Amino acid sequence: MEHQERNIIRDIIKTPKLDTSVLVKGWVRTKRGNKNVAFIALNDGSIIHSLQIVVDVANFDEELLKKITTGACIAVEGKLVASGGQGQSVEVVASKIFVYGTADPDVFPLQKKGHSLEFLREIAHLRPRTNTFGAVLRIRHALAFAIHKYFNDNGFFYLHTPIITGSDAEGAGAMFQVTTLDLKNLPKTSDGDINYETDFFGKSTNLTVSGQLEGELGAMALGSIYTFGPTFRAENSNTPRHLAEFWMIEPEMTFCDITDNMDLAEDFLKYLITYALEKCTDDLEFLCKMYDEELIDRLKFVTENDFKRLTYTEGVAILEKADQKFEFPVKWGIDLQSEHERYLVEKEFKCPVILTGYPKEIKAFYMKQNDDGKTVRAMDVLFPKIGEIIGGSQREEDYEKLESRMNEMHIPAKDLWWYLETRKFGTAPHSGFGLGFERLVLFVTGMSNIRDVIPFPRTPKNAEF
Ligand code: 4AD
Ligand code: MG
């Protein structure tokens, strides 16, 4: 059995060569049949569909067949033939079977079908073997690939920004500290503070909340860059849309204003969703059937229609008149909550929305200030079912304005001297945004909890796997 090259089940199903000999390897999804014939559904992860294996019981050792239960890993050699059965067009008539690994039915957690998504989260080491997670993980891969393709095709350079950062000033969220100090015996300064001089980096360090500030340094040299890496936020937000560790895509473009930024965000999202519709048809059809009937229509709708663009001020005026009672009351100046964002998207406009011109008080220090003295050139892209999927802005490129805003917001310039220097030496207008990768995967798969679109979710009190 070892001499023959393995056939991938996706190739067999998509481009079958009937009456040839094939060798397939994978995990048993189900086995059924009778005394004379057994039918095995074999899945190798390459495609949502399982391949039917037909076993003439008389030709095989009884002990071997007993070992073939749901979850077992096997190899099968046989002939590929047209199938008369329902649900598949081809099947393999087995001539040889080898069992790599059994899965004792008495204890294998996926022995039965139809487990809840909550239960599957507790067995994150096995859930990739379910149809649902297979589909989600293949779509996740396709989107990651499409992101690199989009930027590469459009002249952006992939910049690797650090995961361990010495600056904790962006203010995008609470941070996880990184240290090699002995927590039981912390060195202290004469004032009683922790003395980080003896720590690994000689200063206090954290896991990054965003690659943007370093991304800007790259854009001020290479023109257009993007980052795509893990980001960490230590907020205790137990919602279906927050993770403590998530992946973010952050393009940053020099010579680009807020309108160019919005145009890029809209084009980028439409490209990614179109890519998934074209390349992940089988997986999307499965998710549509199992979880969310409107999924594919919703994806198509987003790719075919313009996003609605309006200012925060206009958005707030609509929300104030809304015939809906919000948990958080609306007035100009508040940070919009998910319920407000979703009202605008789902009830008012029934399409994705880009909001701009937010009050400067609720946005980061680096956003370019508008002439009104009250608002900044921020933009948030709001999506149905998700709320905020992208946050971005035009950046303040004026040294004095940036410095004075930092002072107002008590951001120590001494920690960000390198960031400020880009405004001192050859400053240039530039803009960028951050797309939360899992929020994108959430939207494209139609799943309803962000814990179900990342292989190993990190949330408060949860880092088992
Ligand atoms: O709006 P945020 O905080 O923006 C930034 O970090 C900027 N530095 C981006 C930039 O301009 N380069 O985060 C950007 C996006 C959000 O819109 C959201 O999609 C996602 O990141 N996000 C999260 N996703 C999952 N879990 C969390 N805790 C998230 N926090 C933000
Ligand atoms: Mg944001």
Side-chain angles (χ1 to χ4, degrees):
M1 203 170 272
E2 292 308 318
H3 62 278
Q4 194 178 340
E5 210 177 307
R6 175 165 85 103
N7 297 93
I8 303 299
I9 292 179
R10 183 190 55 236
D11 300 338
I12 290 182
I13 289 177
K14 291 290 174 190
T15 48
K17 295 196 185 77
L18 290 182
D19 300 318
T20 59
S21 161
V22 296
L23 169 62
V24 287
K25 300 181 180 185
W27 293 269
V28 175
R29 282 290 159 82
T30 54
K31 187 175 94 177
R32 58 189 178 83
N34 53 41
K35 275 197 205 111
N36 304 319
V37 58
F39 298 99
I40 300 167
L42 192 71
N43 191 285
D44 70 359
S46 61
I47 187 169
I48 186 90
H49 308 294
S50 295
L51 182 63
Q52 172 149 292
I53 312 291
V54 185
V55 182
D56 184 346
V57 171
N59 294 343
F60 290 88
D61 174 40
E62 201 181 330
E63 287 307 306
L64 177 100
L65 293 186
K66 262 196 215 156
K67 290 184 190 163
I68 302 174
T69 56
T70 297
C73 183
I74 65 171
V76 177
E77 207 179 287
K79 194 164 152 191
L80 187 69
V81 297
S83 174
Q86 252 193 359
Q88 73 269 330
S89 58
V90 294
E91 61 193 20
V92 172
V93 180
S95 53
K96 281 186 204 162
I97 300 179
F98 177 79
V99 178
Y100 284 110
T102 56
D104 181 350
D106 290 338
V107 286
F108 180 54
L110 294 172
Q111 174 62 27
K112 287 199 202 72
K113 278 189 164 185
H115 288 301
S116 72
L117 293 169
E118 288 79 9
F119 172 73
L120 292 176
R121 273 174 224 147
E122 291 168 20
I123 51 164
H125 59 308
L126 295 172
R127 68 177 184 171
R129 295 197 206 166
T130 62
N131 284 335
T132 298
F133 284 90
V136 167
L137 294 176
R138 279 185 296 271
I139 292 170
R140 187 179 163 103
H141 159 80
L143 289 169
F145 179 80
I147 285 162
H148 287 297
K149 180 163 166 52
Y150 178 87
F151 285 128
N152 186 60
D153 290 352
N154 286 286
F156 286 65
F157 297 104
Y158 182 25
L159 185 79
H160 294 97
T161 50
I163 289 170
I164 298 175
T165 167
S167 74
D168 58 1
E170 198 197 340
M175 303 185 97
F176 290 100
Q177 239 188 298
V178 176
T179 182
T180 54
L181 291 178
D182 178 0
L183 297 182
K184 291 197 198 90
N185 185 18
L186 289 170
K188 297 281 169 69
T189 63
S190 50
D191 302 340
D193 296 332
I194 297 169
N195 184 357
Y196 285 104
E197 274 170 29
T198 59
D199 201 352
F200 189 90
F201 296 105
K203 62 183 297 195
S204 150
T205 50
N206 297 290
L207 294 177
T208 185
V209 293
S210 156
Q212 178 197 325
L213 302 190
E214 295 88 351
E216 286 185 49
L217 313 182
M220 299 287 249
L222 300 171
S224 296
I225 63 91
Y226 70 105
T227 72
F228 185 176
T231 36
F232 307 87
R233 296 191 185 178
E235 289 125 301
N236 203 355
S237 29
N238 247 316
T239 82
R241 283 176 306 276
H242 287 87
L243 291 164
E245 176 180 299
F246 64 98
W247 288 66
M248 185 153 53
I249 300 100
E250 297 185 275
E252 194 68 37
M253 299 77 65
T254 312
F255 317 118
C256 171
D257 67 12
I258 188 71
T259 307
D260 304 323
N261 206 20
M262 286 191 275
D263 292 345
L264 181 79
E266 183 168 342
D267 186 61
F268 179 48
L269 287 168
K270 286 178 170 168
Y271 173 89
L272 298 176
I273 296 164
T274 305
Y275 186 92
L277 281 166
E278 282 171 7
K279 307 282 180 185
C280 307
T281 318
D282 292 2
D283 288 324
L284 286 173
E285 278 170 2
F286 171 81
L287 293 171
C288 208
K289 194 173 82 194
M290 298 299 290
Y291 293 97
D292 182 352
E293 278 183 335
E294 289 160 15
L295 175 63
I296 291 177
D297 289 341
R298 191 182 319 117
L299 298 181
K300 284 190 182 147
F301 181 84
V302 167
T303 63
E304 287 162 5
N305 292 281
D306 288 345
F307 295 5
K308 176 77 189 169
R309 299 180 184 190
L310 68 158
T311 63
Y312 167 93
T313 303
E314 290 163 335
V316 165
I318 292 168
L319 292 167
E320 282 174 331
K321 281 189 233 122
D323 55 358
Q324 182 173 318
K325 188 135 183 55
F326 296 114
E327 193 188 334
F328 297 90
V330 182
K331 71 171 204 288
W332 199 94
I334 64 152
D335 204 355
L336 297 183
Q337 302 293 321
S338 174
E339 55 173 344
H340 308 131
E341 297 172 340
R342 292 184 60 177
Y343 180 89
L344 291 174
V345 172
E346 289 162 23
K347 301 264 166 60
E348 180 72 19
F349 296 111
K350 300 188 170 61
C351 72
V353 166
I354 311 184
L355 276 188
T356 51
Y358 281 75
K360 66 179 180 187
E361 284 74 21
I362 58 169
K363 288 292 183 189
F365 72 92
Y366 49 70
M367 296 192 180
K368 187 170 173 68
Q369 296 160 47
N370 280 321
D371 294 336
D372 62 11
K374 289 196 294 197
T375 60
V376 287
R377 280 186 209 176
M379 59 164 220
D380 277 8
V381 182
L382 314 178
F383 257 36
K385 289 193 74 184
I386 307 290
E388 180 190 335
I389 195 165
I390 278 181
S393 72
Q394 185 167 344
R395 318 305 189 191
E396 183 55 77
E397 82 264 25
D398 181 275
Y399 185 92
E400 269 81 37
K401 282 189 188 156
L402 182 61
E403 196 182 36
S404 76
R405 190 75 192 122
M406 285 171 73
N407 290 338
E408 277 168 28
M409 295 179 76
H410 308 292
I411 290 163
K414 70 166 184 17
D415 289 349
L416 285 181
W417 62 271
W418 45 272
Y419 183 73
L420 271 164
E421 278 204 353
T422 54
R423 276 59 173 177
K424 202 190 261 173
F425 306 125
T427 194
H430 62 290
S431 301
F433 61 80
L435 167 65
F437 185 51
E438 284 73 21
R439 296 215 181 153
L440 173 73
V441 183
L442 203 51
F443 180 72
V444 172
T445 59
M447 301 301 284
S448 43
N449 194 309
I450 201 163
R451 292 165 178 81
D452 298 331
V453 298
I454 185 165
F456 305 104
R458 296 285 173 263
T459 50
K461 304 275 178 285
N462 175 28
E464 178 73 16
F465 302 94

